[in-house]
Amino acid sequence: MSKILFITAPYHCWGVQVVGTWPPLHLAYLAGAACDTGHEARIFDAMNKRLSFDDIRCEIEQYQPDLVMTLDYLPVTGAISTATVPYALRILNIAKEICSQTVTLLGGPHPSFMYEEILEDRDNHVDYIITGEPEQTLKKLLAALNGAGDPKAVKGVAYREGERVLYTGRQPHIEDLDTLQPAWHLLDWQDYNYLVAPYGRMASILTSRGCDMDCAFCSQRMFWREDWRCRKPDKVVEEMEHLIGTYGVSFFTLIDAYPTKHRERWELFLDLVIERKLGVHLLIETRVEDIIRDADILDKYREAGIIHVYLGAESADKDVLGSLNKGTSFEQNKHALDLLRDAGIITEASFMIGFPTETWDSIDSTIESAIYLNPDIAVFPVVTPMPFTPIHAQMKDRIRVFDYSKYNLVCPIIEPYQMTMAEITQALGKCYMSFYSNKMQEIVEMEDGFKRKYLLSAFMLMMKDHGESFDFSGADMERMKERMKKVA
């Protein structure tokens, strides 16, 4: 049997880990698959431990694994995982430097679509790229590497053969997701905490895989081949009980792209969480139309512990929304946010900036829209045409940055027709300062309680960790911080 070391890339950017650290669930699932077939596995979470490539080198030298695997991983649903690809490739190069016989594996959304580009570059020392859903492919590849067949016959694998890049075809999806068992015991749980009041140990869980929506900027539909599958609600709740009892988890984030797709199943999940009195806080992402659909059961959301819901509003401009294929309207966004506010649930919404048609007037319009929609928390991702998404073709002639490590939704990648890229960075700072300067008055007038403490805590973390991402003036920043301190 083999020794496998799973490693997260030591990548950091503003917005990803500001409010907490998430367990690398994707690697926990892969390590579980390896253990399930009798192999020895270890997870080295360099990202959340804030470690360096030198630390990774030391870990590989000490553990002496037969295989090293990493993913283009970030602790979200995968939308911005491209940014970690250069770091993931460096990890595998280090493994080969230490021992040329070490088998190096790479997986995730970006490598699944861009395997030819990666493997054609001879500076990338990758033996196999596992494409698509990885657990079943990993099991079969491990068996083949240990003598039970030809690794190059395993479906779902891309590799080099001489000067050629070959792909073995799609691996069928796993029919029953409840057969997967994450290797929770391989994680250092003290590393995973939600830093927003009331604070606590954080776990990521998965209740479904896939998305059949057609958002032009996202890879979920393509990666999962329009195939949405779900776990049984009772199995998910049993897993939550295990994590609560064994590791002291008090916050759960559902990393599903679309957890609420089927109302009957979703409501059963809520009912089970309520019935078993888990007493935990849940954070979810979903679609505005499902919030509107569930208007009559939002009390169950709150009773089940859902405290924070993220929605992609993206734009108030109908043409922009149309180009993104969101399938929703500005009016629906407003309705959903109002419903959640009335239900006492904290809302977060995203508003994209930096489109090719962006102007200072459209930036002001985005700010006005965010203030009007009035989510509790607003984020302003810079539009980023990932190379395997539909918007890449739409915006290809405006792309000016080709360093994938910058594809993090903070750095401008495309140059608008009427703005410079430097101005987009300035606009990003303006969006945040304008929204939160306005939001602070609402916090001042808010009744003291859970929501007020939560928002103040979150805002302080965002301001503290803004780094060099925004063009804030020092005076503006200090005034904002001082006002928050006084309100707190």
Side-chain angles (χ1 to χ4, degrees):
M1 293 294 105
S2 301
K3 291 170 61 177
I4 311 169
L5 181 59
F6 297 94
I7 306 175
T8 59
Y11 181 86
H12 304 283
C13 70
W14 187 89
V16 176
Q17 294 168 301
V18 170
V19 297
T21 47
W22 280 252
L25 181 58
H26 306 76
L27 289 187
Y29 269 112
L30 283 164
C35 293
D36 187 49
T37 48
H39 300 278
E40 180 184 322
R42 182 183 292 190
I43 296 174
F44 190 67
D45 192 357
M47 178 183 289
N48 286 306
K49 289 180 179 295
R50 296 275 174 173
L51 298 178
S52 67
F53 285 108
D54 286 340
D55 296 312
I56 290 171
R57 180 180 292 275
C58 290
E59 176 68 11
I60 295 172
E61 289 174 339
Q62 183 275 321
Y63 187 53
Q64 292 293 303
D66 301 301
L67 300 95
V68 171
M69 182 169 186
T70 186
L71 304 174
D72 61 336
Y73 164 80
L74 277 176
V76 287
T77 57
I80 55 175
S81 58
T82 287
T84 67
V85 168
Y87 292 72
L89 291 169
R90 186 174 172 185
I91 290 171
L92 301 184
N93 287 353
I94 289 171
K96 284 292 191 182
E97 289 171 11
I98 294 170
C99 177
S100 62
Q101 299 305 307
T102 302
V103 177
T104 52
L105 309 175
L106 179 65
H110 183 105
S112 293
F113 297 115
M114 306 298 292
Y115 63 83
E116 288 184 292
E117 178 182 271
I118 292 170
L119 292 173
E120 285 172 355
D121 186 343
R122 294 290 165 162
D123 290 333
N124 297 328
H125 298 295
V126 184
D127 290 320
Y128 300 99
I129 291 178
I130 293 179
T131 66
E133 187 171 52
E135 293 88 359
Q136 192 66 20
T137 303
L138 178 63
K139 285 184 177 182
K140 293 182 177 182
L141 183 58
L142 288 174
L145 289 169
N146 279 272
D150 181 0
K152 296 174 182 179
V154 176
K155 293 292 186 183
V157 172
Y159 62 95
R160 293 188 189 100
E161 188 170 82
E163 297 299 316
R164 297 186 303 164
V165 173
L166 300 178
Y167 171 56
T168 60
R170 289 178 171 180
Q171 179 76 243
H173 277 165
I174 297 165
E175 292 185 10
D176 184 359
L177 294 177
D178 287 313
T179 61
L180 297 174
Q181 297 296 321
W184 298 121
H185 64 290
L186 296 181
L187 298 173
D188 293 332
W189 282 94
Q190 70 273 14
D191 294 337
Y192 308 115
N193 298 287
Y194 197 54
L195 304 179
V196 179
Y199 320 108
R201 182 66 48 79
M202 167 72 80
S204 303
I205 60 169
L206 185 77
T207 80
S208 66
R209 279 181 173 173
C211 183
D212 56 1
M213 296 296 107
D214 203 20
C215 300
F217 53 86
C218 182
S219 66
Q220 290 289 331
R221 180 188 179 100
M222 298 164 61
F223 184 76
W224 299 112
R225 311 199 297 255
E226 304 179 31
D227 178 19
W228 187 88
R229 291 156 295 146
C230 60
R231 297 177 59 195
K232 296 180 179 64
D234 60 316
K235 295 295 185 181
V236 177
V237 174
E238 286 174 11
E239 184 173 59
M240 293 171 68
E241 288 177 321
H242 169 68
L243 294 172
I244 294 165
T246 307
Y247 304 109
V249 170
S250 57
F251 281 83
F252 287 91
T253 179
L254 276 61
I255 67 165
D256 309 32
Y258 197 2
T260 61
K261 179 178 170 64
H262 288 162
R263 164 150 169 159
E264 184 178 349
R265 168 192 170 271
W266 175 244
E267 187 173 6
L268 175 57
F269 168 74
L270 297 175
D271 288 338
L272 288 171
V273 173
I274 294 168
E275 176 187 314
R276 301 194 190 182
K277 297 181 172 60
L278 299 187
V280 292
H281 301 302
L282 283 79
L283 300 88
I284 73 167
E285 172 183 356
T286 192
R287 291 182 59 87
V288 298
E289 57 265 50
D290 284 16
I291 296 300
I292 296 169
R293 177 200 71 192
D294 290 349
D296 61 324
I297 60 167
L298 289 180
D299 58 326
K300 288 189 178 183
Y301 279 55
R302 189 179 61 252
E303 191 177 353
I306 294 177
I307 58 168
H308 187 137
V309 174
Y310 171 90
L311 301 171
E314 312 313 359
S315 178
D317 187 295
K318 290 182 179 179
D319 291 336
V320 171
L321 275 176
S323 71
L324 295 176
N325 290 331
K326 280 292 293 183
T328 55
S329 67
F330 184 74
E331 292 74 23
Q332 285 178 302
N333 293 336
K334 175 66 173 170
H335 189 192
L337 288 166
D338 287 348
L339 286 170
L340 288 168
R341 185 180 302 108
D342 291 345
I345 296 171
I346 292 160
T347 56
E348 178 179 356
S350 60
F351 303 86
M352 287 188 177
I353 69 166
F355 293 92
T357 55
E358 200 76 83
T359 64
W360 280 110
D361 286 342
S362 65
I363 292 293
D364 289 339
S365 177
T366 295
I367 293 169
E368 291 170 6
S369 298
I371 292 172
Y372 173 73
L373 289 179
N374 196 30
D376 296 308
I377 298 169
V379 292
F380 299 89
V382 177
V383 65
T384 303
M386 302 303 174
F388 41 85
T389 58
I391 63 167
H392 185 271
Q394 299 172 18
M395 303 179 181
K396 190 173 183 178
D397 66 327
R398 305 307 301 172
I399 295 174
R400 300 293 181 265
V401 175
F402 301 93
D403 176 358
Y404 286 142
S405 69
K406 304 295 185 184
Y407 282 51
N408 54 22
L409 306 185
V410 176
C411 300
I413 301 301
I414 65 172
E415 182 181 24
Y417 293 103
Q418 298 184 53
M419 293 180 74
T420 66
M421 295 170 73
E423 286 177 321
I424 293 299
T425 297
Q426 295 169 10
L428 185 61
K430 181 180 181 180
C431 287
Y432 278 101
M433 288 300 297
S434 300
F435 180 84
Y436 286 104
S437 294
N438 183 80
K439 176 61 66 171
M440 280 308 300
Q441 185 58 40
E442 182 181 330
I443 303 299
V444 169
E445 298 170 359
M446 189 178 293
E447 180 181 348
D448 190 32
F450 178 90
K451 182 174 182 178
R452 192 172 192 264
K453 290 183 174 66
Y454 185 96
L455 293 178
L456 280 173
S457 177
F459 295 172
M460 287 297 288
L461 287 168
M462 293 171 69
M463 294 299 108
K464 177 182 177 182
D465 198 33
H466 70 90
E468 298 178 354
S469 301
F470 311 135
D471 188 21
F472 290 159
S473 76
D476 285 344
M477 176 61 68
E478 290 309 311
R479 279 195 293 269
M480 177 76 81
K481 288 181 178 178
E482 286 303 313
R483 192 174 186 196
M484 287 183 180
K485 289 177 183 177
K486 289 179 181 178
V487 173

